[in-house]
Amino acid sequence: MCGIVGYVGSKDALPILLESLKKLEYRGYDSSGVGFLDHDAHLIIRKAKGKIRNLEELIRSRPLPFACAGISHTRWATHGFPSDKNAHPHTDNKHTIAVVHNGIIENYQDLKAALKKKGCKFVSETDSEVIPHLIASFYKGDLLTAVRHAIAKLKGTFALGIISRDHPGMLIAARVGSPLIVGIGEHENFIASDVPAILDFTRRVIYLKDGQMAVLTRDKVELSTFDGKKVTPKIDTVSFNVVAARKEGYPYFMLKEIHEQPDVLKQMLSLRLKNKRLALEGLGLSDDILRRTRKVMVVACGTAYHAGLVGKYIIENLARLPVEVDTSSEFRYRNPIIDKHTLVLAVSQSGETADTLAASREARAKGAKVIAICNVVGSSLAREADGILYTYAGQEIGVASTKAYTAQLMMFYLVALKLAQARKSLSPKASKDLMAQLLRIPSLCTEILKDMHNIKKIAETNSHFGCFLFLGRHVNFPSAMEGALKLKEISYIPAEGYAAGEMKHGPIALIDEYRAVVCINPQSHVYEKMSSNMQEIRARRGNVIAIATRGDREIKSNADFVIEIPATPELLSPLLVALPLQMLAYFIAVKRGCDVDQPRNLAKSVTVE
Ligand code: AGP
């Protein structure tokens, strides 16, 4: 993971590096650092454990000279603890070359052993530190050649930013597997892990491809392949804007994003259901292709995977097409059976998740059409897919996905409707009714948010439990998994999401008076079955928090606490159920004093395998 930024130009590099780096904190925040060259070509490095604000404080306390070129890095630890010494940039022993790295060097142990034999002293536990030593070992005055030789030895993934004391006005970049862009400015040039990081400075960007490197000076950018072939750069002008998100009075971004859901869904529907007609142009597939589709395959990670699991119920139900759902990391290594008649939906908020990118490449290589369901405009996944359906949920800052999840769910309803219409598996009336029900969802979400104080009370009352189970059936089985993920990622409480029917096959052994069990049981064809499971839990003294349809009197006799949601057709209920689950996790985490927006060990975007 990690985020990198580099600058070379006529302005002071340091403030630019720090400002841009803060926009990459979603990629990791366990330590950060800058390395730059002042006017006398001194290589100065500053690093600090923790968030970028720690690095800023360090720099404030020991002000630094004007710098014309530099590199910066925000880290998500893969090899070695989060610490000052493991933070980037890393240097060679002569302190001549500094490197920032995003990715994983898989053969670093062999390289390290060989470099040690040659006398190199390593100061960190990272895989990345081999890179400056390796470059230095090849360096005979020509930095570019030394970098080429070093890169030829690396196995794994990398996006690199490299500066050297001997080449004060030069910045070298290279990539394999990890994203990296070059920004073209006026008498200044940039590199960054993504576009928004440098949008305040330039809109002209080059998307580096795997196997390409760039040499940047103040007035020039030269591209080549690793083996030295010149590449003519393709410069894109970025048209989208990224408005800096603000908390607007909310204590955390997560709470703000939870509250944004009615508007996000409303806006999505107004864009995608024009005059009750589906507007999914980005799909780019004719009705004929949709009719000939034999299977849908969803690939995604984490919360997006849970959205995909709900999507399976939706698409199978409405379009009567078989749907397989796989975590991207499993999909790509299991030799999946797909062909040109398979429609692959790659779901990702960020569009930068390494496994989902790799899975969609694998699917395309096998001849399938890949449609991305993605939130971040212009992301790698969006650029690479055959079709793109943006969820337009707006920037999501909280590491725990909330509004992006419900927007992904909504997109699944719309895609299922599209498939159903093309395949005529749904009558025009049923299709119209479903659209009408979908249009009600935003205002039903608003109603749920009004119950926030009740949910907060229930959350706080149960925040002492050391273990939670989340149970659901049918379309709300994935909701249970998502509820558990939300809780564990922001409160660190062990939590599991299960299909309620599976409980007696093992998990029921966990139940006693020290467990809290969230039972998702809105009105549905599995209501009675779920109610029986709730009784089984209570018979074993488990504490039951039920999520049920408003007006359900029976539920009270099966639960210790009840959170009500408005009535909606069973198939649409995950859209509503998501909100109380998010709020439960949020208020429990806040009560336990956790950093809700930036939980430990996590990053918003997982850019390594
Ligand atoms: C969600 O709360 C998580 N932080 C995480 O599981 C996330 O959904 C996952 O990493 C996938 O990210 P993506 O949607 O950006 O691909």
Side-chain angles (χ1 to χ4, degrees), residues 345-372:
L345 300 174
V347 190
S348 172
Q349 187 286 130
S350 63
E352 299 295 345
T353 299
D355 284 320
T356 304
L357 280 169
S360 74
R361 285 173 198 145
E362 170 80 13
R364 289 185 79 200
K366 283 186 162 9
K369 285 263 179 270
V370 175
I371 306 300

PDB file of all heavy atoms in Angstrom, residues 345-372:
ATOM      1  N   LEU A 345     -18.614  -8.488 -12.857  1.00  0.00           N
ATOM      2  CA  LEU A 345     -18.807  -7.193 -12.199  1.00  0.00           C
ATOM      3  C   LEU A 345     -17.706  -7.041 -11.161  1.00  0.00           C
ATOM      4  O   LEU A 345     -17.649  -7.802 -10.194  1.00  0.00           O
ATOM      5  CB  LEU A 345     -20.189  -7.125 -11.530  1.00  0.00           C
ATOM      6  CG  LEU A 345     -21.393  -7.283 -12.480  1.00  0.00           C
ATOM      7  CD1 LEU A 345     -22.696  -7.351 -11.684  1.00  0.00           C
ATOM      8  CD2 LEU A 345     -21.453  -6.142 -13.482  1.00  0.00           C
ATOM      9  N   ALA A 346     -16.811  -6.104 -11.383  1.00  0.00           N
ATOM     10  CA  ALA A 346     -15.716  -5.853 -10.438  1.00  0.00           C
ATOM     11  C   ALA A 346     -16.129  -4.653  -9.593  1.00  0.00           C
ATOM     12  O   ALA A 346     -16.342  -3.558 -10.118  1.00  0.00           O
ATOM     13  CB  ALA A 346     -14.432  -5.558 -11.194  1.00  0.00           C
ATOM     14  N   VAL A 347     -16.290  -4.891  -8.293  1.00  0.00           N
ATOM     15  CA  VAL A 347     -16.857  -3.844  -7.433  1.00  0.00           C
ATOM     16  C   VAL A 347     -15.770  -3.295  -6.521  1.00  0.00           C
ATOM     17  O   VAL A 347     -15.081  -4.043  -5.833  1.00  0.00           O
ATOM     18  CB  VAL A 347     -18.012  -4.408  -6.571  1.00  0.00           C
ATOM     19  CG1 VAL A 347     -18.763  -3.277  -5.873  1.00  0.00           C
ATOM     20  CG2 VAL A 347     -18.956  -5.227  -7.418  1.00  0.00           C
ATOM     21  N   SER A 348     -15.635  -1.971  -6.513  1.00  0.00           N
ATOM     22  CA  SER A 348     -14.599  -1.377  -5.665  1.00  0.00           C
ATOM     23  C   SER A 348     -14.893   0.100  -5.442  1.00  0.00           C
ATOM     24  O   SER A 348     -15.113   0.837  -6.406  1.00  0.00           O
ATOM     25  CB  SER A 348     -13.233  -1.539  -6.334  1.00  0.00           C
ATOM     26  OG  SER A 348     -12.252  -0.832  -5.636  1.00  0.00           O
ATOM     27  N   GLN A 349     -14.915   0.508  -4.190  1.00  0.00           N
ATOM     28  CA  GLN A 349     -15.090   1.928  -3.892  1.00  0.00           C
ATOM     29  C   GLN A 349     -13.958   2.716  -4.520  1.00  0.00           C
ATOM     30  O   GLN A 349     -14.172   3.653  -5.270  1.00  0.00           O
ATOM     31  CB  GLN A 349     -15.124   2.108  -2.374  1.00  0.00           C
ATOM     32  CG  GLN A 349     -15.458   3.504  -1.858  1.00  0.00           C
ATOM     33  CD  GLN A 349     -14.371   4.542  -1.991  1.00  0.00           C
ATOM     34  OE1 GLN A 349     -14.618   5.656  -2.496  1.00  0.00           O
ATOM     35  NE2 GLN A 349     -13.157   4.232  -1.591  1.00  0.00           N
ATOM     36  N   SER A 350     -12.733   2.319  -4.187  1.00  0.00           N
ATOM     37  CA  SER A 350     -11.562   3.100  -4.588  1.00  0.00           C
ATOM     38  C   SER A 350     -11.171   2.889  -6.046  1.00  0.00           C
ATOM     39  O   SER A 350     -10.618   3.782  -6.676  1.00  0.00           O
ATOM     40  CB  SER A 350     -10.365   2.704  -3.726  1.00  0.00           C
ATOM     41  OG  SER A 350     -10.046   1.340  -3.935  1.00  0.00           O
ATOM     42  N   GLY A 351     -11.431   1.693  -6.543  1.00  0.00           N
ATOM     43  CA  GLY A 351     -10.965   1.358  -7.894  1.00  0.00           C
ATOM     44  C   GLY A 351      -9.461   1.150  -7.926  1.00  0.00           C
ATOM     45  O   GLY A 351      -8.853   1.081  -8.993  1.00  0.00           O
ATOM     46  N   GLU A 352      -8.837   1.054  -6.760  1.00  0.00           N
ATOM     47  CA  GLU A 352      -7.381   0.870  -6.712  1.00  0.00           C
ATOM     48  C   GLU A 352      -6.998  -0.404  -5.967  1.00  0.00           C
ATOM     49  O   GLU A 352      -5.806  -0.678  -5.792  1.00  0.00           O
ATOM     50  CB  GLU A 352      -6.697   2.058  -6.014  1.00  0.00           C
ATOM     51  CG  GLU A 352      -6.901   3.401  -6.687  1.00  0.00           C
ATOM     52  CD  GLU A 352      -6.270   3.493  -8.092  1.00  0.00           C
ATOM     53  OE1 GLU A 352      -5.441   2.638  -8.432  1.00  0.00           O
ATOM     54  OE2 GLU A 352      -6.653   4.406  -8.834  1.00  0.00           O
ATOM     55  N   THR A 353      -7.958  -1.179  -5.487  1.00  0.00           N
ATOM     56  CA  THR A 353      -7.651  -2.381  -4.725  1.00  0.00           C
ATOM     57  C   THR A 353      -6.873  -3.374  -5.603  1.00  0.00           C
ATOM     58  O   THR A 353      -7.377  -3.815  -6.642  1.00  0.00           O
ATOM     59  CB  THR A 353      -8.963  -3.009  -4.199  1.00  0.00           C
ATOM     60  OG1 THR A 353      -9.574  -2.052  -3.356  1.00  0.00           O
ATOM     61  CG2 THR A 353      -8.710  -4.285  -3.428  1.00  0.00           C
ATOM     62  N   ALA A 354      -5.659  -3.691  -5.168  1.00  0.00           N
ATOM     63  CA  ALA A 354      -4.750  -4.474  -6.016  1.00  0.00           C
ATOM     64  C   ALA A 354      -5.387  -5.795  -6.454  1.00  0.00           C
ATOM     65  O   ALA A 354      -5.298  -6.181  -7.629  1.00  0.00           O
ATOM     66  CB  ALA A 354      -3.451  -4.731  -5.267  1.00  0.00           C
ATOM     67  N   ASP A 355      -6.016  -6.502  -5.513  1.00  0.00           N
ATOM     68  CA  ASP A 355      -6.573  -7.814  -5.855  1.00  0.00           C
ATOM     69  C   ASP A 355      -7.724  -7.697  -6.855  1.00  0.00           C
ATOM     70  O   ASP A 355      -7.879  -8.548  -7.735  1.00  0.00           O
ATOM     71  CB  ASP A 355      -7.062  -8.518  -4.576  1.00  0.00           C
ATOM     72  CG  ASP A 355      -5.898  -9.074  -3.778  1.00  0.00           C
ATOM     73  OD1 ASP A 355      -4.958  -9.608  -4.388  1.00  0.00           O
ATOM     74  OD2 ASP A 355      -5.925  -8.959  -2.536  1.00  0.00           O
ATOM     75  N   THR A 356      -8.543  -6.670  -6.700  1.00  0.00           N
ATOM     76  CA  THR A 356      -9.679  -6.519  -7.617  1.00  0.00           C
ATOM     77  C   THR A 356      -9.185  -6.115  -9.008  1.00  0.00           C
ATOM     78  O   THR A 356      -9.717  -6.563 -10.025  1.00  0.00           O
ATOM     79  CB  THR A 356     -10.696  -5.510  -7.042  1.00  0.00           C
ATOM     80  OG1 THR A 356     -11.080  -5.968  -5.747  1.00  0.00           O
ATOM     81  CG2 THR A 356     -11.939  -5.391  -7.909  1.00  0.00           C
ATOM     82  N   LEU A 357      -8.150  -5.306  -9.035  1.00  0.00           N
ATOM     83  CA  LEU A 357      -7.562  -4.946 -10.337  1.00  0.00           C
ATOM     84  C   LEU A 357      -7.006  -6.194 -11.014  1.00  0.00           C
ATOM     85  O   LEU A 357      -7.256  -6.426 -12.205  1.00  0.00           O
ATOM     86  CB  LEU A 357      -6.429  -3.938 -10.134  1.00  0.00           C
ATOM     87  CG  LEU A 357      -6.858  -2.480  -9.918  1.00  0.00           C
ATOM     88  CD1 LEU A 357      -5.677  -1.636  -9.469  1.00  0.00           C
ATOM     89  CD2 LEU A 357      -7.440  -1.915 -11.204  1.00  0.00           C
ATOM     90  N   ALA A 358      -6.287  -7.000 -10.236  1.00  0.00           N
ATOM     91  CA  ALA A 358      -5.691  -8.216 -10.808  1.00  0.00           C
ATOM     92  C   ALA A 358      -6.790  -9.189 -11.245  1.00  0.00           C
ATOM     93  O   ALA A 358      -6.679  -9.819 -12.302  1.00  0.00           O
ATOM     94  CB  ALA A 358      -4.772  -8.869  -9.791  1.00  0.00           C
ATOM     95  N   ALA A 359      -7.848  -9.298 -10.447  1.00  0.00           N
ATOM     96  CA  ALA A 359      -8.946 -10.215 -10.794  1.00  0.00           C
ATOM     97  C   ALA A 359      -9.613  -9.772 -12.089  1.00  0.00           C
ATOM     98  O   ALA A 359      -9.942 -10.598 -12.946  1.00  0.00           O
ATOM     99  CB  ALA A 359      -9.964 -10.260  -9.655  1.00  0.00           C
ATOM    100  N   SER A 360      -9.805  -8.474 -12.249  1.00  0.00           N
ATOM    101  CA  SER A 360     -10.498  -8.042 -13.460  1.00  0.00           C
ATOM    102  C   SER A 360      -9.592  -8.216 -14.689  1.00  0.00           C
ATOM    103  O   SER A 360     -10.078  -8.526 -15.774  1.00  0.00           O
ATOM    104  CB  SER A 360     -11.054  -6.626 -13.309  1.00  0.00           C
ATOM    105  OG  SER A 360     -10.032  -5.698 -13.370  1.00  0.00           O
ATOM    106  N   ARG A 361      -8.286  -8.063 -14.481  1.00  0.00           N
ATOM    107  CA  ARG A 361      -7.362  -8.333 -15.611  1.00  0.00           C
ATOM    108  C   ARG A 361      -7.422  -9.805 -16.012  1.00  0.00           C
ATOM    109  O   ARG A 361      -7.472 -10.157 -17.189  1.00  0.00           O
ATOM    110  CB  ARG A 361      -5.927  -7.963 -15.213  1.00  0.00           C
ATOM    111  CG  ARG A 361      -5.720  -6.456 -15.215  1.00  0.00           C
ATOM    112  CD  ARG A 361      -4.361  -6.058 -14.666  1.00  0.00           C
ATOM    113  NE  ARG A 361      -4.384  -4.660 -14.288  1.00  0.00           N
ATOM    114  CZ  ARG A 361      -3.717  -4.148 -13.252  1.00  0.00           C
ATOM    115  NH1 ARG A 361      -2.971  -4.910 -12.486  1.00  0.00           N
ATOM    116  NH2 ARG A 361      -3.812  -2.863 -12.971  1.00  0.00           N
ATOM    117  N   GLU A 362      -7.465 -10.658 -14.990  1.00  0.00           N
ATOM    118  CA  GLU A 362      -7.535 -12.105 -15.219  1.00  0.00           C
ATOM    119  C   GLU A 362      -8.823 -12.438 -15.994  1.00  0.00           C
ATOM    120  O   GLU A 362      -8.807 -13.220 -16.944  1.00  0.00           O
ATOM    121  CB  GLU A 362      -7.524 -12.800 -13.842  1.00  0.00           C
ATOM    122  CG  GLU A 362      -7.818 -14.274 -13.806  1.00  0.00           C
ATOM    123  CD  GLU A 362      -6.601 -15.120 -14.184  1.00  0.00           C
ATOM    124  OE1 GLU A 362      -5.507 -14.547 -14.230  1.00  0.00           O
ATOM    125  OE2 GLU A 362      -6.804 -16.316 -14.463  1.00  0.00           O
ATOM    126  N   ALA A 363      -9.924 -11.818 -15.576  1.00  0.00           N
ATOM    127  CA  ALA A 363     -11.212 -12.090 -16.221  1.00  0.00           C
ATOM    128  C   ALA A 363     -11.186 -11.642 -17.684  1.00  0.00           C
ATOM    129  O   ALA A 363     -11.671 -12.347 -18.573  1.00  0.00           O
ATOM    130  CB  ALA A 363     -12.333 -11.373 -15.462  1.00  0.00           C
ATOM    131  N   ARG A 364     -10.605 -10.488 -17.929  1.00  0.00           N
ATOM    132  CA  ARG A 364     -10.544  -9.986 -19.319  1.00  0.00           C
ATOM    133  C   ARG A 364      -9.662 -10.892 -20.169  1.00  0.00           C
ATOM    134  O   ARG A 364      -9.980 -11.173 -21.327  1.00  0.00           O
ATOM    135  CB  ARG A 364     -10.011  -8.565 -19.346  1.00  0.00           C
ATOM    136  CG  ARG A 364     -11.024  -7.576 -18.777  1.00  0.00           C
ATOM    137  CD  ARG A 364     -10.553  -6.158 -18.920  1.00  0.00           C
ATOM    138  NE  ARG A 364     -10.765  -5.673 -20.259  1.00  0.00           N
ATOM    139  CZ  ARG A 364     -10.137  -4.635 -20.783  1.00  0.00           C
ATOM    140  NH1 ARG A 364      -9.257  -3.987 -20.072  1.00  0.00           N
ATOM    141  NH2 ARG A 364     -10.391  -4.240 -22.008  1.00  0.00           N
ATOM    142  N   ALA A 365      -8.578 -11.356 -19.551  1.00  0.00           N
ATOM    143  CA  ALA A 365      -7.673 -12.246 -20.291  1.00  0.00           C
ATOM    144  C   ALA A 365      -8.389 -13.540 -20.674  1.00  0.00           C
ATOM    145  O   ALA A 365      -8.059 -14.163 -21.677  1.00  0.00           O
ATOM    146  CB  ALA A 365      -6.447 -12.557 -19.439  1.00  0.00           C
ATOM    147  N   LYS A 366      -9.396 -13.923 -19.893  1.00  0.00           N
ATOM    148  CA  LYS A 366     -10.133 -15.156 -20.198  1.00  0.00           C
ATOM    149  C   LYS A 366     -11.319 -14.870 -21.126  1.00  0.00           C
ATOM    150  O   LYS A 366     -12.156 -15.730 -21.356  1.00  0.00           O
ATOM    151  CB  LYS A 366     -10.623 -15.793 -18.899  1.00  0.00           C
ATOM    152  CG  LYS A 366      -9.516 -16.527 -18.137  1.00  0.00           C
ATOM    153  CD  LYS A 366     -10.134 -17.248 -16.959  1.00  0.00           C
ATOM    154  CE  LYS A 366      -9.362 -18.332 -16.311  1.00  0.00           C
ATOM    155  NZ  LYS A 366      -8.052 -18.671 -16.542  1.00  0.00           N
ATOM    156  N   GLY A 367     -11.423 -13.657 -21.591  1.00  0.00           N
ATOM    157  CA  GLY A 367     -12.428 -13.327 -22.606  1.00  0.00           C
ATOM    158  C   GLY A 367     -13.721 -12.757 -22.069  1.00  0.00           C
ATOM    159  O   GLY A 367     -14.648 -12.471 -22.844  1.00  0.00           O
ATOM    160  N   ALA A 368     -13.844 -12.592 -20.746  1.00  0.00           N
ATOM    161  CA  ALA A 368     -15.091 -12.052 -20.204  1.00  0.00           C
ATOM    162  C   ALA A 368     -15.119 -10.534 -20.329  1.00  0.00           C
ATOM    163  O   ALA A 368     -14.078  -9.892 -20.404  1.00  0.00           O
ATOM    164  CB  ALA A 368     -15.212 -12.440 -18.730  1.00  0.00           C
ATOM    165  N   LYS A 369     -16.320  -9.992 -20.366  1.00  0.00           N
ATOM    166  CA  LYS A 369     -16.473  -8.534 -20.327  1.00  0.00           C
ATOM    167  C   LYS A 369     -16.470  -8.131 -18.856  1.00  0.00           C
ATOM    168  O   LYS A 369     -17.178  -8.716 -18.039  1.00  0.00           O
ATOM    169  CB  LYS A 369     -17.824  -8.129 -20.929  1.00  0.00           C
ATOM    170  CG  LYS A 369     -17.847  -8.215 -22.422  1.00  0.00           C
ATOM    171  CD  LYS A 369     -17.588  -6.842 -23.050  1.00  0.00           C
ATOM    172  CE  LYS A 369     -17.566  -6.871 -24.555  1.00  0.00           C
ATOM    173  NZ  LYS A 369     -16.281  -7.120 -25.169  1.00  0.00           N
ATOM    174  N   VAL A 370     -15.673  -7.122 -18.536  1.00  0.00           N
ATOM    175  CA  VAL A 370     -15.602  -6.675 -17.138  1.00  0.00           C
ATOM    176  C   VAL A 370     -16.244  -5.299 -17.011  1.00  0.00           C
ATOM    177  O   VAL A 370     -15.853  -4.343 -17.686  1.00  0.00           O
ATOM    178  CB  VAL A 370     -14.140  -6.614 -16.642  1.00  0.00           C
ATOM    179  CG1 VAL A 370     -14.080  -6.031 -15.237  1.00  0.00           C
ATOM    180  CG2 VAL A 370     -13.525  -8.001 -16.653  1.00  0.00           C
ATOM    181  N   ILE A 371     -17.237  -5.243 -16.141  1.00  0.00           N
ATOM    182  CA  ILE A 371     -17.883  -3.959 -15.850  1.00  0.00           C
ATOM    183  C   ILE A 371     -17.494  -3.563 -14.428  1.00  0.00           C
ATOM    184  O   ILE A 371     -17.666  -4.344 -13.485  1.00  0.00           O
ATOM    185  CB  ILE A 371     -19.432  -4.067 -15.946  1.00  0.00           C
ATOM    186  CG1 ILE A 371     -19.857  -4.641 -17.301  1.00  0.00           C
ATOM    187  CG2 ILE A 371     -20.097  -2.716 -15.664  1.00  0.00           C
ATOM    188  CD1 ILE A 371     -19.445  -3.838 -18.510  1.00  0.00           C
ATOM    189  N   ALA A 372     -16.959  -2.371 -14.273  1.00  0.00           N
ATOM    190  CA  ALA A 372     -16.567  -1.906 -12.937  1.00  0.00           C
ATOM    191  C   ALA A 372     -17.728  -1.164 -12.296  1.00  0.00           C
ATOM    192  O   ALA A 372     -18.394  -0.352 -12.945  1.00  0.00           O
ATOM    193  CB  ALA A 372     -15.364  -0.985 -13.045  1.00  0.00           C
TER     194      ALA A 372
END
